[in-house]
Amino acid sequence: MILTVTLNTALDITYRVRSLRPHASHRVSEVTERPGGKGLNVGRVLAALGHEVTVTGFTGGATGRQVRERLAGTPGVEDALVPVAGPTRRTIAVVDATSGDTTQLNEPGPEITPAEWAALQETYERLLRSASAVALCGSLPPGVPVGAYAQLVRAARALAVPVLLDTSGEPLRRGVAARPDIVKPNADELAELTGSHEPLQATRNARRRGAHAVVASLGPDGLLAHTPDGHWRARPPVRAHGNPTGAGDSAVAGLLSGLVENLPWPDRLARAVALSAATVAAPTAGEFDRGLYERLLGEVTVTAEAAAA
Protein backbone atom coordinates (compact mmCIF):
# COMPACT_ATOMS: atom_id res chain seq x y z
CA MET A 1 0.00 0.00 0.00
CA ILE A 2 1.19 3.52 -0.86
CA LEU A 3 0.18 6.24 1.60
CA THR A 4 -0.44 9.83 0.58
CA VAL A 5 -0.87 12.67 3.08
CA THR A 6 -2.81 15.84 2.23
CA LEU A 7 -2.97 18.07 5.29
CA ASN A 8 -4.96 20.70 3.36
CA THR A 9 -7.49 18.70 1.34
CA ALA A 10 -9.89 20.54 -0.95
CA LEU A 11 -12.90 20.29 -3.18
CA ASP A 12 -11.47 21.22 -6.58
CA ILE A 13 -13.97 23.11 -8.71
CA THR A 14 -13.12 23.79 -12.35
CA TYR A 15 -15.05 26.36 -14.40
CA ARG A 16 -14.60 26.58 -18.17
CA VAL A 17 -15.35 29.87 -19.88
CA ARG A 18 -14.93 30.98 -23.47
CA SER A 19 -12.62 33.86 -22.55
CA LEU A 20 -11.73 35.16 -19.08
CA ARG A 21 -11.87 38.97 -18.89
CA PRO A 22 -11.42 41.16 -15.79
CA HIS A 23 -14.43 43.19 -14.62
CA ALA A 24 -16.83 41.17 -16.82
CA SER A 25 -19.61 38.62 -16.29
CA HIS A 26 -18.95 35.17 -17.70
CA ARG A 27 -21.16 32.32 -18.79
CA VAL A 28 -19.66 29.05 -17.55
CA SER A 29 -19.81 26.32 -20.20
CA GLU A 30 -18.79 23.42 -17.93
CA VAL A 31 -18.34 22.77 -14.20
CA THR A 32 -16.50 19.81 -12.66
CA GLU A 33 -15.95 18.96 -9.00
CA ARG A 34 -13.34 16.50 -7.71
CA PRO A 35 -11.67 15.61 -4.41
CA GLY A 36 -8.55 17.77 -4.35
CA GLY A 37 -5.37 18.72 -2.63
CA LYS A 38 -2.04 17.48 -3.95
CA GLY A 39 -1.95 14.15 -2.10
CA LEU A 40 -5.47 13.19 -3.18
CA ASN A 41 -4.54 13.93 -6.79
CA VAL A 42 -1.41 11.78 -6.38
CA GLY A 43 -3.48 8.99 -4.86
CA ARG A 44 -5.99 8.91 -7.71
CA VAL A 45 -3.23 8.73 -10.33
CA LEU A 46 -1.44 5.97 -8.41
CA ALA A 47 -4.68 3.99 -8.21
CA ALA A 48 -5.20 4.43 -11.97
CA LEU A 49 -1.69 2.96 -12.43
CA GLY A 50 -2.79 -0.14 -10.50
CA HIS A 51 -1.43 0.57 -7.02
CA GLU A 52 -3.35 0.20 -3.77
CA VAL A 53 -3.50 3.62 -2.13
CA THR A 54 -4.57 4.96 1.26
CA VAL A 55 -5.12 8.69 1.65
CA THR A 56 -5.06 10.61 4.90
CA GLY A 57 -5.19 14.24 5.95
CA PHE A 58 -7.86 16.54 7.36
CA THR A 59 -11.44 16.92 6.21
CA GLY A 60 -14.43 18.71 7.73
CA GLY A 61 -17.76 20.42 7.23
CA ALA A 62 -20.12 20.16 4.28
CA THR A 63 -17.27 20.54 1.79
CA GLY A 64 -15.39 17.74 3.52
CA ARG A 65 -18.42 15.47 3.20
CA GLN A 66 -18.52 16.19 -0.52
CA VAL A 67 -14.83 15.30 -0.80
CA ARG A 68 -15.36 11.97 0.97
CA GLU A 69 -18.47 11.12 -1.04
CA ARG A 70 -16.63 11.65 -4.31
CA LEU A 71 -13.55 9.84 -3.04
CA ALA A 72 -15.68 6.79 -2.20
CA GLY A 73 -16.26 6.23 -5.91
CA THR A 74 -12.55 5.99 -6.73
CA PRO A 75 -11.43 2.37 -7.25
CA GLY A 76 -8.23 1.44 -5.43
CA VAL A 77 -8.29 4.38 -3.00
CA GLU A 78 -8.99 3.84 0.72
CA ASP A 79 -10.19 6.80 2.77
CA ALA A 80 -8.36 7.29 6.09
CA LEU A 81 -9.03 11.04 6.36
CA VAL A 82 -9.19 12.53 9.86
CA PRO A 83 -12.34 14.57 10.67
CA VAL A 84 -11.96 18.13 11.96
CA ALA A 85 -14.41 20.79 13.11
CA GLY A 86 -13.52 23.40 10.45
CA PRO A 87 -14.72 23.20 6.84
CA THR A 88 -12.50 21.79 4.13
CA ARG A 89 -11.41 24.48 1.67
CA ARG A 90 -12.41 24.88 -1.96
CA THR A 91 -10.07 25.62 -4.84
CA ILE A 92 -11.43 27.29 -7.97
CA ALA A 93 -9.76 26.86 -11.36
CA VAL A 94 -11.09 29.01 -14.21
CA VAL A 95 -10.00 27.69 -17.60
CA ASP A 96 -9.95 30.16 -20.49
CA ALA A 97 -10.90 28.10 -23.56
CA THR A 98 -9.52 30.70 -25.97
CA SER A 99 -6.01 31.08 -24.53
CA GLY A 100 -5.78 27.78 -22.67
CA ASP A 101 -4.66 29.64 -19.53
CA THR A 102 -5.91 28.69 -16.06
CA THR A 103 -6.56 31.10 -13.18
CA GLN A 104 -6.42 29.49 -9.73
CA LEU A 105 -8.13 30.67 -6.52
CA ASN A 106 -7.17 28.76 -3.36
CA GLU A 107 -8.88 29.13 0.02
CA PRO A 108 -6.61 28.84 3.11
CA GLY A 109 -8.23 25.81 4.75
CA PRO A 110 -9.67 25.09 8.21
CA GLU A 111 -8.03 26.08 11.51
CA ILE A 112 -6.54 22.89 12.97
CA THR A 113 -6.50 22.44 16.75
CA PRO A 114 -3.65 20.76 18.67
CA ALA A 115 -5.95 17.81 19.40
CA GLU A 116 -6.76 17.40 15.70
CA TRP A 117 -3.07 17.54 14.76
CA ALA A 118 -2.33 14.87 17.39
CA ALA A 119 -5.11 12.67 15.95
CA LEU A 120 -3.59 12.99 12.48
CA GLN A 121 -0.15 11.99 13.75
CA GLU A 122 -1.62 8.92 15.48
CA THR A 123 -3.44 7.87 12.30
CA TYR A 124 -0.35 8.47 10.19
CA GLU A 125 1.95 6.40 12.37
CA ARG A 126 -0.56 3.53 12.35
CA LEU A 127 -0.83 3.61 8.55
CA LEU A 128 2.94 3.78 8.09
CA ARG A 129 3.28 0.25 9.50
CA SER A 130 1.72 -1.22 6.35
CA ALA A 131 2.98 1.34 3.81
CA SER A 132 5.53 0.63 1.07
CA ALA A 133 6.10 4.38 0.52
CA VAL A 134 4.56 7.70 1.53
CA ALA A 135 4.01 11.03 -0.20
CA LEU A 136 3.68 14.20 1.90
CA CYS A 137 2.06 16.84 -0.27
CA GLY A 138 0.85 20.40 -0.36
CA SER A 139 0.32 23.38 1.90
CA LEU A 140 -0.30 23.43 5.64
CA PRO A 141 -3.71 24.56 6.90
CA PRO A 142 -3.80 27.20 9.65
CA GLY A 143 -2.87 25.84 13.07
CA VAL A 144 -0.56 23.06 11.88
CA PRO A 145 3.05 23.55 13.07
CA VAL A 146 5.41 24.81 10.37
CA GLY A 147 7.68 21.84 11.12
CA ALA A 148 4.85 19.34 10.55
CA TYR A 149 6.36 17.74 7.47
CA ALA A 150 9.73 17.39 9.18
CA GLN A 151 7.98 15.44 11.97
CA LEU A 152 6.21 13.21 9.45
CA VAL A 153 9.43 12.60 7.48
CA ARG A 154 11.23 11.53 10.67
CA ALA A 155 8.40 9.16 11.59
CA ALA A 156 8.60 7.50 8.17
CA ARG A 157 12.37 7.20 8.35
CA ALA A 158 12.13 5.60 11.79
CA LEU A 159 10.11 2.79 10.20
CA ALA A 160 12.31 2.65 7.06
CA VAL A 161 9.41 3.74 4.82
CA PRO A 162 10.61 5.72 1.76
CA VAL A 163 9.16 9.24 1.81
CA LEU A 164 8.64 11.84 -0.92
CA LEU A 165 8.07 15.47 0.08
CA ASP A 166 6.29 17.96 -2.18
CA THR A 167 5.67 21.31 -0.50
CA SER A 168 7.13 24.82 -0.48
CA GLY A 169 8.50 27.64 1.67
CA GLU A 170 9.45 27.11 5.30
CA PRO A 171 7.71 23.69 5.53
CA LEU A 172 9.96 22.56 2.65
CA ARG A 173 13.11 23.98 4.24
CA ARG A 174 12.44 22.21 7.53
CA GLY A 175 11.26 19.04 5.80
CA VAL A 176 14.42 18.76 3.70
CA ALA A 177 16.53 18.93 6.86
CA ALA A 178 14.73 15.79 8.10
CA ARG A 179 16.28 13.91 5.13
CA PRO A 180 13.40 12.69 2.93
CA ASP A 181 14.19 10.19 0.20
CA ILE A 182 12.91 12.49 -2.57
CA VAL A 183 11.86 16.12 -2.72
CA LYS A 184 10.04 17.48 -5.78
CA PRO A 185 10.05 21.30 -5.85
CA ASN A 186 9.27 23.38 -8.89
CA ALA A 187 11.86 25.84 -10.17
CA ASP A 188 10.59 28.75 -8.05
CA GLU A 189 10.38 26.65 -4.88
CA LEU A 190 13.88 25.30 -5.49
CA ALA A 191 15.29 28.80 -5.96
CA GLU A 192 13.59 29.98 -2.76
CA LEU A 193 15.02 27.01 -0.87
CA THR A 194 18.61 27.32 -2.11
CA GLY A 195 19.01 30.91 -3.27
CA SER A 196 20.22 29.66 -6.66
CA HIS A 197 18.36 30.21 -9.95
CA GLU A 198 20.66 27.86 -11.89
CA PRO A 199 18.77 24.52 -11.81
CA LEU A 200 21.73 22.13 -11.70
CA GLN A 201 23.43 24.07 -8.93
CA ALA A 202 20.13 24.45 -7.05
CA THR A 203 19.38 20.72 -7.08
CA ARG A 204 22.90 20.02 -5.82
CA ASN A 205 22.44 22.57 -3.02
CA ALA A 206 19.09 21.04 -2.05
CA ARG A 207 20.75 17.63 -1.66
CA ARG A 208 23.38 19.20 0.57
CA ARG A 209 20.57 20.41 2.83
CA GLY A 210 19.49 16.84 3.48
CA ALA A 211 17.37 15.42 0.64
CA HIS A 212 18.53 12.02 -0.61
CA ALA A 213 17.36 12.87 -4.15
CA VAL A 214 15.99 16.08 -5.68
CA VAL A 215 13.69 16.12 -8.70
CA ALA A 216 12.96 19.65 -9.89
CA SER A 217 9.92 20.36 -12.03
CA LEU A 218 10.74 22.71 -14.92
CA GLY A 219 7.13 23.02 -16.07
CA PRO A 220 6.66 22.26 -19.78
CA ASP A 221 10.42 21.62 -20.07
CA GLY A 222 10.21 18.45 -17.97
CA LEU A 223 12.23 17.36 -14.95
CA LEU A 224 15.79 17.68 -13.66
CA ALA A 225 16.99 15.04 -11.19
CA HIS A 226 20.01 15.02 -8.87
CA THR A 227 20.31 11.60 -7.20
CA PRO A 228 22.99 9.39 -5.65
CA ASP A 229 22.85 7.27 -8.83
CA GLY A 230 23.33 10.10 -11.31
CA HIS A 231 21.97 13.31 -12.75
CA TRP A 232 19.34 13.40 -15.51
CA ARG A 233 17.12 15.75 -17.46
CA ALA A 234 13.84 14.35 -18.80
CA ARG A 235 11.99 16.23 -21.55
CA PRO A 236 8.59 15.62 -23.16
CA PRO A 237 8.62 15.23 -26.96
CA VAL A 238 6.19 18.15 -27.39
CA ARG A 239 4.91 20.95 -25.19
CA ALA A 240 1.54 19.98 -23.74
CA HIS A 241 -1.40 22.37 -24.01
CA GLY A 242 -4.40 22.44 -21.70
CA ASN A 243 -5.03 22.73 -17.95
CA PRO A 244 -1.73 22.40 -16.02
CA THR A 245 -3.48 21.99 -12.65
CA GLY A 246 -2.36 18.69 -11.12
CA ALA A 247 0.46 18.05 -13.59
CA GLY A 248 3.05 18.20 -10.80
CA ASP A 249 0.97 15.80 -8.71
CA SER A 250 0.96 13.28 -11.55
CA ALA A 251 4.74 13.63 -11.73
CA VAL A 252 4.88 12.75 -8.02
CA ALA A 253 2.74 9.67 -8.70
CA GLY A 254 5.12 8.64 -11.46
CA LEU A 255 8.17 9.03 -9.23
CA LEU A 256 6.58 7.21 -6.30
CA SER A 257 5.24 4.32 -8.38
CA GLY A 258 8.66 3.95 -9.98
CA LEU A 259 10.26 3.87 -6.53
CA VAL A 260 8.06 1.05 -5.19
CA GLU A 261 8.48 -0.88 -8.47
CA ASN A 262 12.29 -0.52 -8.18
CA LEU A 263 12.58 1.08 -11.61
CA PRO A 264 15.90 2.73 -12.53
CA TRP A 265 15.87 6.52 -12.30
CA PRO A 266 15.63 7.20 -16.06
CA ASP A 267 12.48 5.05 -16.25
CA ARG A 268 10.96 6.78 -13.21
CA LEU A 269 11.60 10.17 -14.77
CA ALA A 270 10.17 9.14 -18.14
CA ARG A 271 7.01 7.92 -16.44
CA ALA A 272 6.71 11.10 -14.39
CA VAL A 273 7.09 13.37 -17.43
CA ALA A 274 4.66 11.35 -19.55
CA LEU A 275 2.05 11.37 -16.77
CA SER A 276 2.50 15.08 -16.21
CA ALA A 277 1.99 15.90 -19.90
CA ALA A 278 -1.00 13.56 -20.13
CA THR A 279 -2.56 15.32 -17.13
CA VAL A 280 -2.33 18.71 -18.85
CA ALA A 281 -4.43 17.18 -21.63
CA ALA A 282 -7.06 15.87 -19.17
CA PRO A 283 -10.01 18.00 -18.04
CA THR A 284 -9.26 17.99 -14.27
CA ALA A 285 -6.44 17.40 -11.77
CA GLY A 286 -5.97 13.83 -10.59
CA GLU A 287 -6.78 12.44 -14.05
CA PHE A 288 -4.67 11.78 -17.14
CA ASP A 289 -5.22 10.89 -20.76
CA ARG A 290 -4.18 7.23 -20.73
CA GLY A 291 -3.73 6.89 -24.47
CA LEU A 292 -1.53 9.97 -24.59
CA TYR A 293 0.43 8.78 -21.55
CA GLU A 294 1.17 5.41 -23.15
CA ARG A 295 2.27 7.09 -26.37
CA LEU A 296 4.45 9.69 -24.66
CA LEU A 297 6.10 7.15 -22.36
CA GLY A 298 8.27 5.87 -25.20
CA GLU A 299 8.97 9.34 -26.54
CA VAL A 300 10.27 11.15 -23.43
CA THR A 301 13.95 12.00 -23.78
CA VAL A 302 16.10 11.28 -20.71
CA THR A 303 19.71 12.42 -20.88
CA ALA A 304 22.54 12.30 -18.38
CA GLU A 305 23.67 15.68 -17.04
CA ALA A 306 27.07 16.62 -15.72
CA ALA A 307 27.02 17.32 -11.98
CA ALA A 308 27.20 20.98 -11.02
CA ALA A 309 30.56 22.02 -9.62
Side-chain angles (χ1 to χ4, degrees), residues 72-95:
T74 307
V77 176
E78 181 177 342
D79 176 355
L81 294 166
V82 174
V84 296
T88 294
R89 67 186 178 132
R90 296 162 298 178
T91 64
I92 312 295
V94 183
V95 180

Side-chain angles (χ1 to χ4, degrees), residues 52-132:
E52 292 185 0
V53 181
T54 298
V55 298
T56 193
F58 297 115
T59 186
T63 309
R65 287 193 295 274
Q66 288 180 276
V67 167
R68 300 188 87 155
E69 288 167 3
R70 285 166 169 76
L71 199 60
T74 307
V77 176
E78 181 177 342
D79 176 355
L81 294 166
V82 174
V84 296
T88 294
R89 67 186 178 132
R90 296 162 298 178
T91 64
I92 312 295
V94 183
V95 180
D96 184 320
T98 301
S99 68
D101 291 338
T102 300
T103 300
Q104 193 82 18
L105 304 173
N106 297 329
E107 296 178 358
E111 183 79 29
I112 303 301
T113 69
E116 290 166 344
W117 170 234
L120 185 284
Q121 290 176 279
E122 182 179 346
T123 297
Y124 173 74
E125 291 179 9
R126 172 177 57 80
L127 293 170
L128 275 178
R129 299 188 187 104
S130 56
S132 57

